[in-house]
Amino acid sequence: MFGPLGFSLAPYIKSSRTLSGWFKPFAAWYAQAAGYRQFGLKYDDLLVEERDDVQRAIGRLTTREGYDRAYRFKRASQCSVLQKQLPKEEWIKPEEDVRYLRPHVVEVEKENLERQAWDTASVKRN
Amino acid sequence: MLAARASTARSVSRAARSFATVSDTAGLKLAAIDQGQPTAAVTFLVKAGTRYETKPGVAHALKNFAFKSTPKRSAIGTVRESELYGGVLSASHTREHLALTAEFLRGDEAFFVDVLSSFITSAKYTRHEFQEYVTPVVESETTAATSDPATQALEVAHSIAFRSGLGLPLFAPTHNSITAEDIKSFASSAFSKGNLAVIGTGIDQATLTKLVEKSLGSIATSSTAPTTSASKYYGGETRLEAHGGPQTVFIGFGTTGAPSAELAALAAHLSTQSAVKWSKGLSPIATSIPEGTSVQSVYLPYSDATLFGLLVQGSTAAGVKEAGTIAVKALKDASAGIKGEDVKKAVAKAKFSAASATDSRDGLISLFGSQILSGTGASLDAALASLDKVNEAALSKAASSLFKAKPTYVAIGDVHSLPFADELGL
């Protein structure tokens, strides 16, 4: 409904200094409390990948990023098998939790929208 | 009859004259000719052929990167918008030049010059476009080239004849390590003033100058334009196993220095192409080679070297051997002396093929491209006049001097039965 990345108020909050001042500590707490970092995952690993556009974006990662992503998934499944979190020193640190996939998804989405726009363009010759 | 001939001569010289003016617009060479065609075309010719490449296959990949996304338009935007205007965008590369061409209806020149120049000045060379669009095309072009024995024979012949520079393959290797970054740095050094010529057909020189000044005026003068060393001819022999295609033998000779009119006339003399359909013509080769074999004369002039040769193809190795022997004998006969009548015939044939090449855009650019890039006037008159000077002595001297260097010999197909160079009388 809202595209691969879902609906977000973040750009609006980021644009206002007061609002982002209020929300930042809460957001940092929430991200940690969500628990994915404790299993060695980054936020972009949780993006719904069963979509053509996200698959295309994953294809655009560098080989290194792709291998790292696969490794994080394996490690997380192992944690799931053991019913255990990773040892604390192996948790993903907040500064490591970067949106490595988001720029690619945004780009693919933009391309698809442009293709749609060209497909349905009406031509006026003046 | 006479009147008709006179008018042809006049129109040829008019065309040659209007193309002969190469103006220097802010460091860019610019030439335009308007013969009243219903469509116009603009070609950006860059010294970025394979002989200048920094890494194997970069020039080929750059050609396929043409018209991909720029800050102004995305790749799909470029294609769809050109389709709306009814234009055709194409890119091609040779050993010396990269040509980016837009063909369009008269009146749309502002848009298409902008498409071409925005690629030249600000293409993005993104990694994902390289992986998703460029690499598959590069690979399939390489595969197509290697599966055609004639193309492969010429590729191998170039590498034996010239080794580096002109000897570099036209197509990227199947397994290569080219990255989008390599292409970007090659392009940014090649797309600079003094390395670029703009050639327009069906467009007024003043209009084109104005458009190019506006869009390319700010392009940098690169001090690090890709360089190449002067060509040197080596020669040699090689045999390659191949299946499925016709048995192929290429007998080549190379010369260095500016291409000579004598070799063009010699190629026309040996050419088996007849003027009339279903006839063998009067060529010294075509009448005597066995059925099922073909001999083509190959004349490839470059700015500082020429590869001249005979491409022999046939379904059986024995037939190729016989046809090859006849072809070599014809060349040796030519070096021993050619009859005056044959020389006249060859010169007329060569003149016609040079003149008729200028009817098409591709021919025009391949004939005049390097002259326009070097800033000297490009005129058909000069090319025809140098062919007119060819006489019996000069032609047989050119043919006999070919044999002084080691010939380039390539055999592709059934290497067990294809002949060796000495078996053909070389």
Side-chain angles (χ1 to χ4, degrees):
Chain A
M1 185 181 174
F2 291 112
L5 294 167
F7 175 72
S8 172
L9 282 174
Y12 173 69
I13 292 173
K14 268 186 187 164
S15 69
S16 150
R17 273 184 82 167
T18 341
L19 272 182
S20 62
W22 288 350
F23 272 91
K24 260 212 177 120
F26 172 72
W29 169 82
Y30 180 78
Q32 195 64 32
Y36 60 87
R37 287 177 186 163
Q38 284 81 330
F39 291 93
L41 291 171
K42 298 185 178 182
Y43 182 75
D44 272 356
D45 296 338
L46 308 183
L47 277 190
V48 177
E49 66 166 274
E50 288 84 3
R51 299 173 55 109
D52 285 343
D53 44 6
V54 180
Q55 280 302 320
R56 212 167 139 90
I58 290 170
R60 290 183 183 188
L61 294 173
T62 60
T63 18
R64 180 63 203 257
E65 282 169 339
Y67 287 143
D68 284 355
R69 180 181 154 91
Y71 172 72
R72 286 194 300 273
F73 283 151
K74 277 206 152 169
R75 191 170 54 175
S77 339
Q78 177 66 5
C79 289
S80 160
V81 169
L82 299 177
Q83 298 283 322
K84 235 162 66 174
Q85 291 181 351
L86 284 176
K88 192 158 184 184
E89 63 277 9
E90 285 180 35
W91 291 4
I92 294 290
K93 295 178 195 70
E95 63 272 17
E96 286 172 354
D97 191 4
V98 285
R99 307 292 304 265
Y100 66 96
L101 190 55
R102 188 174 178 278
H104 297 295
V105 176
V106 170
E107 206 166 312
V108 170
E109 204 185 358
K110 219 166 75 188
E111 276 167 32
N112 287 346
L113 285 176
E114 193 188 350
R115 183 175 288 270
Q116 213 173 32
W118 279 113
D119 281 347
T120 54
S122 62
V123 185
K124 262 183 250 157
R125 268 282 198 189
N126 41 11
Chain B
M1 178 72 187
L2 255 180
R5 288 196 60 169
S7 78
T8 335
R10 207 163 47 235
S11 64
V12 164
S13 66
R14 188 175 58 224
R17 193 163 52 241
S18 50
F19 214 53
T21 46
V22 178
S23 72
D24 206 306
T25 310
L28 296 161
K29 305 285 183 303
L30 193 145
I33 183 171
D34 192 349
Q35 290 168 318
Q37 310 97 315
T39 62
V42 172
T43 298
F44 282 29
L45 195 68
V46 195
K47 274 197 217 169
T50 46
R51 71 179 293 181
Y52 297 99
E53 69 191 6
T54 46
K55 204 172 177 183
V58 167
H60 183 201
L62 174 61
K63 181 211 94 178
N64 285 313
F65 231 119
F67 311 117
K68 296 289 177 285
S69 65
T70 64
K72 262 188 187 168
R73 289 178 199 88
S74 65
I76 186 182
T78 309
V79 173
R80 295 290 171 96
E81 217 170 328
S82 321
E83 277 176 359
L84 291 181
Y85 280 100
V88 177
L89 301 172
S90 59
S92 65
H93 77 302
T94 61
R95 282 170 205 279
E96 303 208 84
H97 303 131
L98 167 73
L100 304 172
T101 305
E103 292 166 62
F104 45 87
L105 292 168
R106 279 166 180 266
D108 294 337
E109 55 268 359
F111 169 75
F112 284 97
V113 169
D114 184 53
V115 166
L116 289 168
S117 53
S118 66
F119 174 72
I120 293 281
T121 52
S122 58
K124 281 183 183 162
Y125 304 104
T126 54
R127 193 168 48 82
H128 69 265
E129 278 176 328
F130 177 61
Q131 282 169 352
E132 289 169 20
Y133 305 122
V134 179
T135 316
V137 182
V138 168
E139 271 170 10
S140 69
E141 281 180 352
T142 305
T143 317
T146 42
S147 58
D148 176 29
T151 316
Q152 205 191 356
L154 285 180
E155 286 285 284
V156 175
H158 273 92
S159 79
I160 295 177
F162 301 112
R163 297 189 186 176
S164 58
L166 286 176
L168 293 173
L170 205 48
F171 300 97
T174 334
H175 299 286
N176 57 52
S177 57
I178 309 166
T179 63
E181 280 303 306
D182 293 332
I183 301 170
K184 189 175 185 173
S185 66
F186 177 64
S188 66
S189 67
F191 294 159
S192 57
K193 277 178 187 168
N195 225 9
L196 187 79
V198 183
I199 303 167
T201 52
I203 185 170
D204 179 38
Q205 180 129 2
T207 323
L208 188 59
T209 309
K210 212 184 289 169
L211 287 170
V212 168
E213 257 173 9
K214 202 176 79 184
S215 55
L216 282 185
S218 57
I219 190 173
T221 320
S222 172
S223 53
T224 56
T227 51
T228 178
S229 51
S231 297
K232 197 162 174 282
Y233 177 73
Y234 295 90
E237 181 173 350
T238 194
R239 308 162 68 73
L240 298 170
E241 182 78 49
H243 302 283
Q247 309 294 326
T248 304
V249 160
F250 178 74
I251 304 150
F253 303 92
T255 58
T256 49
S260 70
E262 283 80 20
L263 281 183
L266 187 61
H269 171 64
L270 295 174
S271 162
T272 54
Q273 223 173 11
S274 71
V276 186
K277 210 176 173 187
W278 309 122
S279 104
K280 282 183 172 172
L282 292 171
S283 138
I285 298 173
T287 40
S288 42
I289 54 171
E291 284 296 320
T293 57
S294 69
V295 178
Q296 290 169 51
S297 63
V298 177
Y299 168 64
L300 298 167
Y302 297 103
S303 59
D304 63 346
T306 308
L307 187 69
F308 171 86
L310 295 159
L311 185 72
V312 187
Q313 288 191 303
S315 46
T316 61
V320 167
K321 186 175 178 181
E322 198 183 336
T325 318
I326 291 162
V328 171
K329 189 173 169 291
L331 187 57
K332 287 226 161 127
D333 287 349
S335 67
I338 309 179
K339 276 187 292 175
E341 206 176 310
D342 284 341
V343 175
K344 272 187 200 147
K345 206 168 64 188
V347 167
K349 214 169 173 180
K351 274 169 73 175
F352 175 75
S353 68
S356 73
T358 59
D359 281 345
S360 76
R361 277 168 184 142
D362 293 341
L364 207 63
I365 284 155
S366 64
L367 199 63
F368 294 139
S370 43
Q371 292 172 27
I372 292 171
L373 262 171
S374 67
T376 55
S379 87
L380 183 59
D381 280 350
L384 296 184
S386 66
L387 274 169
D388 269 332
K389 286 196 204 102
V390 175
N391 56 26
E392 294 143 58
L395 195 57
S396 49
K397 187 166 163 275
S400 60
S401 68
L402 289 179
F403 286 100
K404 286 189 184 121
K406 195 158 70 166
T408 300
Y409 181 84
V410 182
I412 294 179
D414 181 8
V415 287
H416 296 293
S417 42
L418 275 173
F420 284 82
D422 49 29
E423 289 170 346
L424 296 181
L426 280 170

